[in-house]
Amino acid sequence: MKFAVIVFPGSNCDDDMFYAVKEGLNVEVEKVWYSEESVADFDAILLPGGFSYGDYLRTGAIARFAPVMASVMEEAKKGKPVLGVCNGFQILLEAGLLPGAMQRNKNLKFICRPAELIVENNETGFTDKYEKGECISVPIAHGEGSYFCDEKTLSQLQANNQIVFTYRDNVNGSVADIAGITNKEGNVLGMMPHPERAAADVLGSADGLKLFQSILNHWRESNVLTS
Amino acid sequence: MVKVQVYVTLKEGVLDPQGSAVKNALHTMDYHEVKSVQTGKFIELEMEQTDNLDARIKEMCEKLLSNPVIEDYTYTIGEVVSK
């Protein structure tokens, strides 16, 4: 299995993401520069955190039109796993791969600390190594992480089990405590907390590692079935 | 050439924490007549005059300049005054 970590001008969690996969899973992983035309050769695509294009205009608004994104969107539509963390989540929202939008934190502060998350849905290709209802510790680091969507979208998210992670203590004002959601098909996950910063005990928590293991596991299972 | 002035504001019902913070600050400065504050963005474009100018501006506003999920936009078109 081969992972891609997309690097935009201003990404700053690309190394963390790279090493979470390389050291945590021991599989192939490559960084892909934003000006590349294709990510078709990869089996999973990771959009890391950071401040792509300096967060100008809106978070993720300009990165969403970076050359590589057309191919990311195409592969997402084919069903490949796409994970966006923090700024990566914001880019997925701007790209329309996930519903809703991101706003400034309710308290207008940049919040950087460990957060307790509840695994609301463990029947996705990103979370099947977790227990349903499990409480995990994963760091957050964002100024614009208050998830917003209208009531109609929220009821669709709930009806389709698209809410994957919620905050135990809603620190940023997100609608329905939302920390992470998938698309309807379940192959695109966006989350504000950083699982790649919680991928080994030495980092203070290894709770994020199971997310990457779930992606790998899911890929292995579906490739055994098809070959 | 035309000068296009685009105003982007939050949709009604979307919380505006920056607006509330500014309002609170104005109140502590004794401007109690202020009843609400809404923050937004102002973007100015200089563009070539084209036949489908309105359609092109709307497209830019909806694709990039605003996020239709949480924001509304308005714009005005004026002539560029040569110096």
Side-chain angles (χ1 to χ4, degrees):
Chain A
M1 182 177 195
K2 198 162 145 191
F3 282 77
V5 177
I6 311 291
V7 186
F8 298 96
S11 294
N12 66 10
C13 300
D14 41 327
D15 272 342
D16 308 59
M17 201 71 113
F18 183 90
Y19 285 104
V21 173
K22 194 170 182 233
E23 308 279 320
L25 300 181
N26 199 20
V27 297
E28 265 190 276
V29 52
E30 258 179 48
K31 289 191 191 176
V32 178
W33 190 229
Y34 75 104
S35 56
E36 294 289 322
E37 302 268 297
S38 174
V39 283
D41 292 342
F42 296 91
D43 304 302
I45 299 152
L46 309 175
L47 305 185
F51 299 86
S52 58
Y53 297 87
D55 277 354
Y56 296 162
L57 200 59
R58 291 180 310 279
T59 56
I62 300 178
R64 172 251 179 281
F65 289 103
V68 75
M69 282 305 291
S71 177
V72 171
M73 290 167 80
E74 205 180 302
E75 298 307 312
K77 277 175 190 137
K78 283 186 200 159
K80 278 190 192 167
V82 176
L83 166 68
V85 168
C86 200
N87 189 225
F89 185 11
Q90 294 162 339
I91 296 168
L92 293 174
L93 291 170
E94 283 285 341
L97 286 173
L98 294 172
M102 213 52 87
Q103 283 196 280
R104 288 282 292 274
N105 292 343
K106 192 177 58 181
N107 65 1
L108 296 172
K109 286 180 182 160
F110 190 96
I111 308 170
C112 184
R113 64 175 175 83
E116 293 199 324
L117 308 180
I118 311 289
V119 180
E120 299 287 344
N121 181 359
N122 70 338
E123 292 174 2
T124 77
F126 300 96
T127 52
D128 56 11
K129 288 261 179 188
Y130 294 104
E131 300 294 323
K132 187 176 162 63
E134 189 177 340
C135 183
I136 60 173
S137 175
V138 180
I140 54 170
H142 58 248
E144 302 200 24
S146 181
Y147 177 80
F148 176 84
C149 66
D150 59 25
E151 279 175 30
K152 192 178 151 214
T153 308
L154 180 62
S155 56
Q156 284 169 348
L157 290 175
Q158 287 163 335
N160 299 323
N161 270 325
Q162 288 171 251
I163 302 172
V164 176
F165 297 110
T166 54
Y167 298 107
R168 197 166 171 184
D169 174 23
N170 187 345
V171 288
N172 55 25
S174 291
V175 164
D177 305 333
I178 286 173
I181 54 168
T182 62
N183 59 347
K184 205 173 167 190
E185 294 73 19
N187 68 304
V188 178
L189 170 68
M191 60 191 294
M192 288 312 292
H194 290 268
E196 79 282 6
R197 294 192 196 176
D201 287 324
V202 71
L203 298 175
S205 167
D207 288 353
L209 185 60
K210 282 190 206 166
L211 191 146
F212 296 99
Q213 289 170 336
S214 296
I215 302 175
L216 179 60
N217 213 32
H218 209 251
W219 182 83
R220 279 186 178 146
E221 276 171 14
S222 53
N223 278 276
V224 167
L225 291 174
T226 51
S227 60
Chain B
M1 291 284 277
V2 293
K3 188 175 266 184
V4 180
Q5 301 190 313
V6 181
Y7 298 87
V8 180
T9 50
L10 285 171
K11 274 191 198 305
E12 222 180 290
V14 176
L15 284 178
D16 180 6
Q18 293 185 81
S20 320
V22 173
K23 187 177 86 175
N24 292 341
L26 289 170
H27 284 178
T28 55
M29 293 157 73
D30 277 338
Y31 295 108
H32 293 287
E33 66 271 39
V34 177
K35 293 305 167 202
S36 90
V37 175
Q38 209 195 14
T39 59
K41 291 191 189 95
F42 170 71
I43 302 157
E44 193 171 77
L45 318 168
E46 275 189 21
M47 293 175 60
E48 285 168 26
Q49 174 74 267
T50 52
D51 292 340
N52 51 357
L53 187 66
D54 268 299
R56 301 278 289 175
I57 296 169
K58 280 181 187 154
E59 212 178 279
M60 287 187 253
C61 286
E62 277 155 34
K63 278 188 178 170
L64 180 66
L65 302 181
S66 79
N67 180 342
V69 178
I70 46 170
E71 293 170 331
D72 287 326
Y73 65 86
T74 56
Y75 63 88
T76 59
I77 303 171
E79 294 297 321
V80 173
V81 183
S82 52
K83 285 163 196 165

